[in-house]
Amino acid sequence: MFEGFTKETSDFLWDLTFNNERSWFLEHKAQFESCLKKPLDALAKDTQTLMDEKFSKYSWNVHISRIYRDARRLFGRGPYKERMWFTLRPFEAGSEAPCLYFEIGAAGYRCGMGFHEAKSADMAAFRKAVDANPAQFERLSQKLLKLNKYTVKGEEYKRIKGDKGEVINKFYNRKWLSLECSKDFGGDVLRPEFPKVLTEGFSQLMPFYEFVLKAYMSDRES
């Protein structure tokens, strides 16, 4: 059961940022297990349980990141990740489908929904779904934007795919897409009630998430 992250979680991640090497990590592995891995695992499992209860038509698959970077992709960086995360997707959607996610770092955390690595075909399927029902998509978009909580993220095309109006354009002309809420370290993330807070945020995103997920799945079924 999740009991909250602590100031030690942030301190550990700051220290790791400046000491990202094997010898330091091995000396502090017990600290990593207690202040980061254990609470992250508990948060992921508690949130999965709440999502299973609230959105029972899906069977939610949780994936928790490892601290170790792929040795083939270090690119001059240290062997350990300075941020850790978990994702939630319906089992039937597969591991490349858009996800709900939570990520924690030394300075804060972020959560939201979107693609980890969207392929051009994924975004083409998304645009096709928008084109099929622009009024519905605009309603979903306006509802989220009015919350003033989530930032639309994703690299934009230099040559736009289409002018769909001010609201839809915020989403339509991107190479990948996510909606993200970022907060400084502290507050709710330190409290045992945080799984409920996180699930409430995911619930706000669900109508939009389901629109994107349906477009993704429809493309694979066609």
Side-chain angles (χ1 to χ4, degrees), residues 13-199:
L13 286 166
W14 278 124
D15 289 343
L16 177 63
T17 300
F18 296 105
N19 300 278
N20 199 323
E21 55 188 35
R22 186 171 184 272
S23 59
W24 183 90
F25 182 79
L26 291 178
E27 290 177 7
H28 295 82
K29 190 170 182 179
Q31 184 185 18
F32 157 70
E33 294 280 349
S34 64
C35 75
L36 181 54
K37 186 178 187 302
K38 182 179 176 181
L40 182 65
D41 288 354
L43 176 62
K45 291 172 183 176
D46 287 358
T47 305
Q48 179 189 29
T49 297
L50 291 170
M51 290 294 289
D52 280 338
E53 293 172 356
K54 194 160 189 177
F55 300 98
S56 57
K57 71 176 183 178
Y58 299 112
S59 179
W60 292 97
N61 180 33
V62 63
H63 173 76
I64 305 170
S65 69
R66 300 173 73 244
I67 191 72
Y68 308 99
R69 284 198 174 106
D70 186 335
R72 299 167 298 177
R73 300 178 180 178
L74 295 181
F75 305 118
R77 300 173 297 180
Y80 306 101
K81 299 168 185 169
E82 293 92 1
R83 306 183 69 88
M84 289 188 68
W85 61 88
F86 71 83
T87 60
L88 285 166
R89 296 178 175 89
F91 268 102
E92 61 271 22
S95 61
E96 296 183 350
C99 65
L100 301 166
Y101 64 87
F102 168 84
E103 181 179 276
I104 191 164
Y109 68 91
R110 53 193 181 190
C111 54
M113 62 129 291
F115 286 97
H116 175 59
E117 292 182 351
K119 297 180 173 64
S120 58
D122 298 331
M123 295 309 295
F126 163 70
R127 291 191 296 273
K128 181 180 178 181
V130 173
D131 292 341
N133 200 335
Q136 178 195 13
F137 183 77
E138 185 162 354
R139 286 193 299 271
L140 293 174
S141 303
Q142 286 178 327
K143 187 174 182 179
L144 275 178
L145 294 172
K146 284 179 180 178
L147 293 174
N148 200 28
K149 178 179 178 180
Y150 299 100
T151 301
V152 185
K153 305 194 77 173
E155 183 183 354
E156 295 186 78
Y157 285 101
K158 292 181 180 178
R159 182 177 296 178
I160 67 171
K161 296 294 184 178
D163 184 357
K164 303 296 177 177
E166 181 180 0
V167 173
I168 294 179
N169 283 351
K170 294 178 185 293
F171 306 86
Y172 193 85
N173 292 296
R174 296 185 185 269
K175 296 181 181 179
W176 55 273
L177 176 65
S178 69
L179 286 162
E180 186 170 280
C181 173
S182 299
K183 293 192 176 183
D184 294 338
F185 195 93
D188 287 334
V189 79
L190 306 179
R191 302 187 179 104
E193 298 80 15
F194 186 62
K196 293 182 180 178
V197 174
L198 187 57
T199 301

